[in-house]
Amino acid sequence: PSSDCVMAEQLCLSDSSCNATYRTLENCALAKTRLLSLDHDSRVRCLNAELDLGNSSLLHCRCHRRMKKQEHCLRIFWTVHSSMTDAENNCESPLPSTVEHWKTDYNKLAALVSGKNCSQLAGDATNPCLRATHVCNLSKKCFRLRTDYASICTKGAGSEDVCDRRKCHRGLRNFFEKVPEDFTKRILFCPCQDEFCGERRRKTIVPDCSFQYNTKPNCLWLLDSCLEDHICKSRLADFQQNCQPVEMSPDGCSLHNHAACLQAYMGMIGTPMTPNYVSNSSVEVSLWCTCENSGNQKEKCDQILGMFESNKCL
């Protein structure tokens, strides 16, 4: 069974042979993080160190969603698998899929909303996104974490001041990691029949700060930013694994597990490759980037953008 990477690291450091191998891999990972080019001997030494781990629990360890030391755990995973530096390697996700069925009081809270005076909830019956927000507000945790990211992401957005995108992303990750999915999924994937509802759904993640730049960057730049970040790189691998489209499949999805795909999609929100709805009148999603001026990497760029724009699993 896959062990926790934090625990696996502790076991490895207590063994002199494993410790030495792990320190070598740390140097390899550090060199790649700093974009230092390794000579042939160094590359061989790094690959050999990874192979030397053999059946060590470090080689098979994984991290888990909502764990306390997730970022530290992911750093360990990518240290051990430092030879896998490109999204095209299709590395196995360090976040094993565990779609949880939350036993929350969502329905009880929804009943409270329904029992309120109709004038207090104008438009609630025809706006599932507004209803989902009202229900979230009745949960102390959901309300607090949603208010936290909304206030951070709104500061400076749409004005001459530049919002703190890094803090905004962290607030979004907190919300989607710590609030039960009963709430987060209903807010993010609420079904809309009109553009007013669609606008509310599109603005769930405060896109002026978390999603959009003044000009669209190249998608390969977004990918590079993602691969330099342990959390984003891990969640991208998770997204690729659980949202792998296959044209010959009846539902267009290789794993036939749309719940896991949606969970992986939510994991991308709050990373440098944050996706969002492209308009108020559709459920199409995309990254905020372009493949213009990609030169001889145009095909790779289109592939990155296509993972979101034309992914039948979504």
Side-chain angles (χ1 to χ4, degrees):
S2 299
S3 64
D4 181 326
C5 289
V6 177
M7 293 175 62
E9 182 192 46
Q10 291 172 356
L11 287 172
C12 178
L13 295 180
S14 65
D15 176 86
S16 58
S17 175
C18 186
N19 191 333
T21 303
Y22 183 61
R23 296 305 180 194
T24 299
L25 287 171
E26 279 189 317
N27 290 331
C28 298
L30 185 62
K32 282 173 181 157
T33 301
R34 293 178 177 174
L35 302 177
L36 301 176
S37 56
L38 297 172
D39 58 34
H40 175 72
D41 290 344
S42 297
R43 286 199 299 272
V44 170
R45 188 164 61 250
C46 292
L47 287 170
N48 284 341
E50 196 170 314
L51 293 172
D52 285 345
L53 286 177
N55 290 320
S56 162
S57 55
L58 263 178
L59 196 62
H60 306 288
C61 74
R62 292 292 182 270
C63 305
H64 306 284
R65 292 176 176 85
R66 298 173 183 258
M67 69 184 293
K68 286 185 178 178
K69 296 182 178 179
Q70 188 186 98
E71 192 163 358
H72 176 60
C73 183
L74 293 173
R75 181 187 64 76
I76 297 167
F77 177 88
W78 291 112
T79 296
V80 175
H81 299 281
S82 59
S83 63
M84 298 173 180
T85 57
D86 198 303
E88 291 177 341
N89 281 329
N90 288 322
C91 171
E92 185 178 352
S93 169
L95 299 165
S97 181
T98 53
V99 179
E100 300 176 52
H101 299 284
W102 291 88
K103 294 181 179 178
T104 67
D105 53 358
Y106 184 94
N107 290 329
K108 178 182 174 184
L109 293 176
L112 285 174
V113 169
S114 300
K116 286 192 174 186
N117 187 300
C118 289
S119 62
Q120 291 177 273
L121 300 170
D124 187 29
T126 57
N127 192 335
C129 293
L130 192 60
R131 179 183 174 84
T133 303
H134 284 314
V135 175
C136 171
N137 290 344
L138 292 176
S139 162
K140 286 183 181 178
K141 190 172 193 176
C142 190
F143 174 73
R144 176 173 57 82
L145 291 174
R146 183 174 169 274
T147 303
D148 283 352
Y149 86 73
S151 62
I152 294 168
C153 299
T154 304
K155 286 179 183 175
S159 70
E160 291 182 3
D161 299 323
V162 178
C163 73
D164 193 327
R165 184 173 279 109
R166 188 181 292 271
K167 282 187 178 179
C168 174
H169 282 168
R170 193 185 308 131
L172 280 166
R173 292 200 306 271
N174 265 339
F175 177 74
F176 286 105
E177 286 173 12
K178 295 179 180 178
V179 174
E181 288 181 1
D182 246 7
F183 295 95
T184 56
K185 279 188 174 177
R186 289 172 198 254
I187 287 175
L188 190 64
F189 303 127
C190 41
C192 289
Q193 302 297 323
D194 60 62
E195 291 198 10
F196 178 73
C197 175
E199 173 72 354
R200 189 176 189 90
R201 180 175 61 192
R202 192 181 66 82
K203 289 197 169 179
T204 295
I205 65 168
V206 195
D208 287 348
C209 183
S210 69
F211 177 66
Q212 294 174 203
Y213 293 80
N214 290 332
T215 56
K216 283 189 176 183
N218 188 280
C219 298
L220 294 174
W221 179 83
L222 276 191
L223 176 64
D224 288 342
S225 300
C226 182
L227 295 180
E228 290 171 9
D229 180 279
H230 291 308
I231 291 177
C232 187
K233 179 163 61 169
S234 303
R235 296 186 179 190
L236 178 60
D238 188 49
F239 178 80
Q240 287 177 309
Q241 183 172 299
N242 288 295
C243 299
Q244 186 67 32
V246 177
E247 288 188 14
M248 300 300 290
S249 173
D251 62 356
C253 203
S254 64
L255 294 181
H256 310 295
N257 190 341
H258 294 281
C261 179
L262 290 181
Q263 187 182 57
Y265 173 86
M266 286 197 298
M268 295 302 299
I269 294 172
T271 71
M273 286 183 72
T274 293
N276 195 29
Y277 297 97
V278 296
S279 74
N280 303 336
S281 56
S282 78
V283 290
E284 290 180 25
V285 298
S286 182
L287 298 172
W288 182 262
C289 63
T290 177
C291 284
E292 291 179 13
N293 304 316
S294 295
N296 59 4
Q297 290 190 297
K298 177 74 163 58
E299 188 176 344
K300 180 180 178 181
C301 185
D302 288 339
Q303 184 183 0
I304 297 301
L305 188 56
M307 285 195 301
F308 295 88
E309 281 194 342
S310 55
N311 190 328
K312 291 183 179 179
C313 290
L314 289 173

